[in-house]
Amino acid sequence: MPVMAGILLLIFGCGGQGPEPSPLQQVLASTDPAIARVMEDPEGYEVQIRYSRILRKSDSVTFVNYDFRVDNSRYFYPASTVKFPVALAALEKLNELDSLDRNNRYYIEGDSVENSFARDIIEIFAVSDNHANNRLIEFLGQDDINRRIGSKQAGPFRVSHRLGAHRDILTTQPLVIYLNDSLTTLSAPIINSAPKPLELGGVLKGSGYMEGDSLVSDPFDFRMKNYFPVTTLDGIMKRVIFPEAFPGNQQFRFSEDQRSFLLETMKILPRQAGYDPEIYPDGYCKFFLFGDTEQQIPEYLEIYNKVGFAYGTLTDCAYIKDRESGVEFMLTATILVNGNGIFNDDQYEYDETGIPFLAALGRGLYQYELQQK
């Protein structure tokens, strides 16, 4: 059985009297400082976690879920995790168009950046590129993304804005799409419906926020932002990895070729996508297990995931598979690390607190799964 030297040691807390604690409770009771620090105030850190054990019997798959503070009515900013369903919606739409596939090159009218749909999806998973995501939103429109993801019945979800430069205009920009090396077509702008304010707990956060160089002493307002809670993240991941576990109307409509491309892309590492590993180590977009290390991820360990980090919130949703030991499980977790309560000041404890917590959480559950083999 393989052992990931140096990063998989974790001491579990004792269960004490009463029912034996769940695997997730055991890991969260760890004396590992990265976990213990956060567990002193999980409410303050706005921690939410879902861990799913995967049980196989013949050709069927079932899930045993363990939750910690999961609550769809408590808002957290999903950041780049929304790029996951955007990529899924783009592939699904491409499969419906006879004239296009993922390898068609295109650019936004008036822009000089030219990419293919495939390359945009690779950049979304490899380094969480905002521009790649925003180009796909121009291809789809928010309404179409929301309709496609909503039809899968995985839970509440919405995309209301682009990422990075928050271009909130409801009409998409036309795309110039290459049909071959010389012939192009121009897509029509898509007019989308205006989002409504979210009515959830926690949409007003902190004690202030930066607007330019000025501090505004009011809570930061997330009511018009994107929404992608833990249960929906988990549900979408399960529908992608294990489509056979869901009714046909809840499955994504991919061809076998497109699904193979998607799965390879979801586990891709920056160096495999052509990025400099000195700038983008393997753990750059793989928070669980490796987010706090510079080491390379072993080839036998596959992490299919999507992370998000912005406004002090870190989130990861992953299917983790060890080909050598047979370990496999799913994990979704989010944490807010904004000690001063000021948003948009770029003063967040990502490296000190957030990523070490998520990495240790992943290692703890991986070690638990190894012990069950």
Side-chain angles (χ1 to χ4, degrees):
M1 183 176 297
V3 176
M4 300 165 59
I7 69 165
L8 289 178
L9 298 177
L10 185 140
I11 303 172
F12 294 103
C14 298
Q17 300 297 318
E20 182 178 351
S22 74
L24 182 56
Q25 288 172 327
Q26 292 180 48
V27 171
L28 294 177
S30 167
T31 58
D32 184 320
I35 292 177
R37 178 191 308 120
V38 171
M39 292 307 293
E40 289 178 357
D41 184 18
E43 182 176 358
Y45 285 108
E46 298 191 9
V47 174
Q48 296 189 41
I49 304 169
R50 170 165 289 181
Y51 157 56
S52 295
R53 300 207 68 209
I54 297 167
L55 305 182
R56 295 180 180 267
K57 186 176 182 181
S58 298
D59 294 330
S60 66
V61 172
T62 57
F63 310 102
V64 179
N65 297 329
Y66 299 92
D67 287 350
F68 179 75
R69 299 191 72 257
V70 171
D71 185 350
N72 287 355
S73 70
R74 298 299 303 176
Y75 181 81
F76 66 89
Y77 183 64
S80 292
T81 60
V82 299
K83 298 171 186 174
F84 180 24
V86 169
L88 301 178
L91 281 176
E92 193 172 70
K93 180 175 179 177
L94 286 168
N95 285 332
E96 297 167 1
L97 301 174
D98 294 335
S99 59
L100 299 180
D101 63 33
R102 67 178 184 268
N103 296 312
N104 283 90
R105 295 175 295 123
Y106 76 102
Y107 60 91
I108 296 172
E109 187 180 40
D111 198 349
S112 60
V113 176
E114 181 182 299
N115 244 17
S116 68
F117 295 103
R119 185 62 196 179
D120 279 340
I121 293 170
I122 289 170
E123 291 176 359
I124 279 173
F125 287 103
V127 295
S128 198
D129 186 84
N130 284 341
H131 299 297
N133 172 80
N134 294 346
R135 284 191 291 270
L136 293 182
I137 289 180
E138 305 301 343
F139 172 59
L140 292 155
Q142 295 95 311
D143 287 353
D144 189 43
I145 297 167
N146 294 333
R147 178 187 63 80
R148 291 177 185 277
I149 301 307
S151 72
K152 305 307 184 279
Q153 302 177 43
F157 168 83
R158 83 158 184 205
V159 164
S160 60
H161 61 83
R162 298 155 183 83
L163 298 175
H166 281 221
R167 184 177 176 275
D168 297 328
I169 297 172
L170 297 176
T171 302
T172 64
Q173 300 176 85
L175 305 180
V176 180
I177 304 173
Y178 286 89
L179 299 178
N180 54 42
D181 288 341
S182 57
L183 181 64
T184 63
T185 186
L186 186 67
S187 70
I190 302 167
I191 301 174
N192 298 277
S193 56
K196 297 178 181 179
L198 294 168
E199 296 181 0
L200 299 167
V203 289
L204 302 178
K205 295 185 184 294
S207 58
Y209 61 93
M210 297 300 297
E211 194 170 81
D213 295 328
S214 301
L215 174 63
V216 179
S217 297
D218 292 313
F220 194 62
D221 190 344
F222 286 89
R223 286 178 294 180
M224 303 303 291
K225 302 292 188 185
N226 297 329
Y227 175 46
F228 198 12
V230 163
T231 57
T232 312
L233 261 167
D234 169 76
I236 293 297
M237 182 64 73
K238 285 172 176 168
R239 284 160 174 77
V240 169
I241 303 297
F242 298 107
E244 68 280 1
F246 297 90
N249 65 340
Q250 295 184 25
Q251 297 177 20
F252 287 91
R253 295 182 296 277
F254 301 141
S255 67
E256 283 301 313
D257 175 66
Q258 292 285 56
R259 185 167 183 271
S260 295
F261 164 77
L262 173 64
L263 293 177
E264 286 298 314
T265 304
M266 286 175 64
K267 67 177 180 177
I268 200 168
L269 303 172
R271 56 184 164 86
Q272 296 169 335
Y275 291 92
D276 184 350
E278 294 296 319
I279 301 173
Y280 300 100
D282 284 7
Y284 179 76
C285 283
K286 308 288 185 189
F287 294 161
F288 296 138
L289 283 79
F290 291 94
D292 60 351
T293 77
E294 296 291 320
Q295 73 180 89
Q296 288 194 356
I297 298 176
E299 290 187 3
Y300 62 79
L301 192 61
E302 299 174 346
I303 303 175
Y304 304 77
N305 78 311
K306 186 68 195 79
V307 302
F309 50 101
Y311 294 125
T313 300
L314 289 156
T315 305
D316 198 349
C317 175
Y319 166 60
I320 298 168
K321 179 181 179 181
D322 182 330
R323 295 197 312 270
E324 292 189 2
S325 70
V327 159
E328 60 176 342
F329 63 98
M330 290 184 162
L331 181 59
T332 302
T334 186
I335 180 173
L336 174 66
V337 285
N338 185 12
N340 67 10
I342 305 299
F343 285 85
N344 219 30
D345 66 350
D346 293 327
Q347 301 298 310
Y348 308 121
E349 297 77 43
Y350 291 142
D351 295 331
E352 300 86 349
T353 304
I355 290 177
F357 172 76
L358 295 176
L361 175 66
R363 291 194 289 263
L365 291 168
Y366 177 85
Q367 184 69 16
Y368 172 83
E369 292 283 350
L370 281 175
Q371 293 170 349
Q372 307 310 302
K373 293 296 180 180

